[in-house]
């Protein structure tokens, strides 16, 4: 059962997550990461594993991927090897991701219509993602979504990333709104935890990643199958 107890007449602004909420970027992640792994002469990784690692920023993603493909039981040795490989992996990943950004990604059904309806309702809008800003901006533009947002903040915009509440608090400040009157729309526990701690109401989409866990088990104010259901 989907439920939306959020009265949008009590909301002045909406903050929307990117990966897993507006755009299915799993194809981009899979392509860029495996190009990186080939360049480093490391084994490939399947998309089914990547899906569980996405959402906490590129640094966390890369470390998780390296740990997976190295597959060492000795945790101390694994940490040493990951630390040694990481700089080359980061450089390679950045290059490959920017090369293919958006080419293997698709906008989820209902996103453009939902964003247009929110804007028509007079709500101020920002995109807040843990994805690096230099990845997020061209992706939004490539998918025709950049025009909906007054502000776009990536995972490198603030000192900490979601699920820390700081990015939401700072985004509310940038929009000139209070957390209580700013709705967070995301796809994972990261978004919900950050919203709860910041004091924002939060609604999650049912089709995203959520680290491979059932999204309906997350503490949120509502769940939608499409952004069009927000209105």
């Amino acid at each position: 059962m989907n439920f939306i107890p959020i009265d949008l007449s009590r909301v002045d602004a909406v903050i929307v997550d990117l990966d897993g909420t507006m755009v299915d970027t799993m194809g981009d992640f899979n392509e860029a990461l495996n190009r990186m792994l080939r360049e480093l002469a490391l084994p490939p990784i399947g998309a089914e594993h990547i899906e569980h690692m996405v959402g906490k920023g590129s640094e966390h993603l890369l470390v998780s991927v390296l740990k997976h493909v190295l597959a060492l039981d000795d945790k101390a040795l694994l940490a040493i090897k990951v630390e040694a490989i990481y700089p080359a992996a980061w450089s390679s990943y950045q290059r490959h991701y920017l090369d293919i950004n958006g080419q293997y990604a698709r906008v989820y059904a209902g996103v453009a219509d939902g964003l247009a309806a929110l804007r028509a309702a007079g709500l101020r809008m920002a995109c807040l993602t843990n994805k690096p800003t230099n990845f997020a901006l061209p992706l939004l533009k490539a998918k025709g979504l950049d025009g909906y947002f007054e502000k776009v903040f990536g995972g490198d915009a603030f000192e900490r990333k979601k699920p820390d509440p700081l990015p939401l608090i700072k985004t509310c400040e940038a929009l000139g709104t209070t957390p209580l009157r700013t709705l967070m729309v995301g796809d994972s526990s990261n978004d919900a935890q950050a919203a709860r701690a910041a004091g924002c109401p939060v609604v999650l989409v049912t089709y995203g990643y959520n680290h491979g866990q059932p999204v309906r088990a997350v503490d949120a104010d509502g769940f939608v199958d499409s952004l069009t259901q927000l209105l």
Side-chain angles (χ1 to χ4, degrees):
M1 178 181 178
N2 296 318
F3 57 97
I4 298 295
I6 304 298
D7 179 357
L8 289 181
S9 69
R10 298 175 180 268
V11 172
D12 298 321
V14 181
I15 299 173
V16 190
D17 176 52
L18 179 50
D19 295 317
T21 302
M22 291 191 285
V23 183
D24 181 0
T25 47
M26 198 51 56
D28 282 355
F29 287 125
N30 185 63
E31 183 67 21
L33 286 167
N34 278 296
R35 287 188 185 190
M36 174 200 78
L37 292 170
R38 284 196 298 272
E39 189 170 293
L40 299 177
L42 291 171
I45 185 171
E48 69 276 11
H49 299 297
I50 298 170
E51 184 173 351
H52 299 170
M53 303 171 181
V54 169
K56 296 184 178 179
S58 294
E59 298 87 351
H60 177 271
L61 174 62
L62 280 193
V63 169
S64 299
V65 168
L66 292 174
K67 285 181 177 179
H68 179 85
V69 300
L70 289 169
L72 296 174
D73 292 328
D74 187 327
K75 291 185 178 180
L77 180 59
L78 179 60
I80 291 170
K81 284 190 171 292
V82 168
E83 185 176 1
I85 296 170
Y86 185 87
W90 176 252
S91 176
S92 175
Y93 176 67
Q94 288 248 80
R95 185 174 68 257
H96 288 305
Y97 199 101
L98 287 171
D99 282 346
I100 59 92
N101 194 358
Q103 293 180 28
Y104 299 84
R106 65 178 182 88
V107 178
Y108 289 109
V111 167
D113 288 343
L115 294 177
L118 292 170
R119 185 172 63 179
L123 298 172
R124 305 190 69 177
M125 294 169 64
C127 173
L128 176 63
T129 173
N130 279 347
K131 194 184 210 73
T133 305
N134 68 326
F135 289 4
L137 289 171
L139 176 62
L140 287 168
K141 185 175 182 179
K143 297 305 179 185
L145 302 176
D146 55 324
Y148 294 107
F149 300 102
E150 293 181 40
K151 306 286 184 181
V152 176
F153 296 116
D156 51 347
F158 307 111
E159 295 88 348
R160 297 184 292 278
K161 299 178 176 66
K162 297 177 293 182
D164 193 282
L166 178 69
L168 272 76
I169 293 169
K170 291 292 188 180
T171 301
C172 288
E173 290 176 1
L175 290 173
T177 61
T178 62
L180 186 62
R181 295 186 62 87
T182 305
L183 175 65
M184 177 73 216
V185 179
D187 73 311
S188 76
S189 58
N190 273 349
D191 301 304
Q193 290 170 21
R196 284 283 184 255
C200 297
V202 56
V203 168
L204 300 180
V205 300
T206 56
Y207 50 75
Y209 306 140
N210 194 36
H211 323 297
Q213 301 299 314
V215 71
R216 292 183 185 278
V218 177
D219 175 26
D221 296 305
F223 303 89
V224 292
D225 298 324
S226 166
L227 293 194
T228 57
Q229 293 178 352
L230 289 169
L231 286 165

